[in-house]
Amino acid sequence: MEYYRLRFEESDENYYFEIDDDRTVLRQVIEDEERWVVSSRPDEELHFCLYDQDFDQSMDGADGEDISQEEFEQVWTQAMKPYRKDWNSIKAHYKPGDKVTGVVEVSYPQGIILSLPNDAFGIVADDECAQFVPVEHRYPGHMLKTVVIGFDEVNGWVELSCRPD
């Protein structure tokens, strides 16, 4: 993994990225004067926000630098603080084996993100879903029937499977 920060002086914003070996952004944080935006949660303005191109360090108007994993994790932890309070209650509500229906929000490199009851978000592997759910039902706004299989502590997502009974 690589970690990178882009600073946009004009808008006074910092963008932090976690990038895999294929140059795919897996996690992203935007920091401006007023707020944090994390890729694992929807924002009022930006909805879900994750850079969806092969990562290129030469974005127009930005000063960039490599950062350490530790620095990225510190930023990620700070940006996720508002969501951690509810995370334990979400985990208490959802148990492995529970059947839950969610609404497709967005597709990320990690999988399909669903909004779930109780202000929770879940993730289901796109390649698994492709085996059981027609492509036209994997777009935003469609409902998917899933089963809880675990928890993604880093992103605060309920891990789901769309395998039929």
Side-chain angles (χ1 to χ4, degrees), residues 1-6 15-29 50 54-58 64-73 76:
M1 295 288 186
E2 293 180 41
Y3 300 89
Y4 205 75
R5 179 178 70 100
L6 291 175
Y15 285 65
Y16 299 88
F17 301 95
E18 177 183 61
I19 307 151
D20 72 7
D21 293 338
D22 294 326
R23 310 301 299 156
T24 301
V25 175
L26 299 178
R27 291 188 289 164
Q28 174 180 317
V29 176
L50 183 68
D54 284 349
F55 185 76
D56 179 5
Q57 299 171 345
S58 62
E65 66 178 332
D66 289 322
I67 60 173
S68 67
Q69 179 179 0
E70 181 179 323
E71 184 176 346
F72 179 86
E73 294 299 344
W76 182 261

Side-chain angles (χ1 to χ4, degrees), residues 42-124:
D43 178 71
E44 289 179 10
E45 279 180 45
L46 303 173
H47 194 56
F48 279 91
C49 182
L50 183 68
Y51 189 74
D52 64 354
Q53 308 293 316
D54 284 349
F55 185 76
D56 179 5
Q57 299 171 345
S58 62
M59 291 186 189
D60 293 337
D63 295 321
E65 66 178 332
D66 289 322
I67 60 173
S68 67
Q69 179 179 0
E70 181 179 323
E71 184 176 346
F72 179 86
E73 294 299 344
Q74 288 173 349
V75 168
W76 182 261
T77 299
Q78 178 68 28
M80 288 293 289
K81 271 186 182 176
Y83 310 106
R84 291 292 174 203
K85 182 179 178 183
D86 295 329
W87 180 233
N88 286 331
S89 63
I90 287 169
K91 289 190 298 184
H93 181 80
Y94 293 98
K95 301 289 183 214
D98 286 353
K99 294 179 182 178
V100 61
T101 299
V103 177
V104 175
E105 292 288 336
V106 66
S107 288
Y108 272 179
Q110 302 94 319
I112 300 170
I113 308 300
L114 306 175
S115 58
L116 305 173
N118 296 355
D119 296 323
F121 293 92
I123 185 163
V124 62

Side-chain angles (χ1 to χ4, degrees), residues 14 26 34 41 70 80 96 104 118 123 127 151 163 165:
N14 287 300
L26 299 178
E34 301 171 8
R41 289 288 179 278
E70 181 179 323
M80 288 293 289
V104 175
N118 296 355
I123 185 163
D127 57 345
F151 301 98
R163 290 184 183 275
D165 293 337

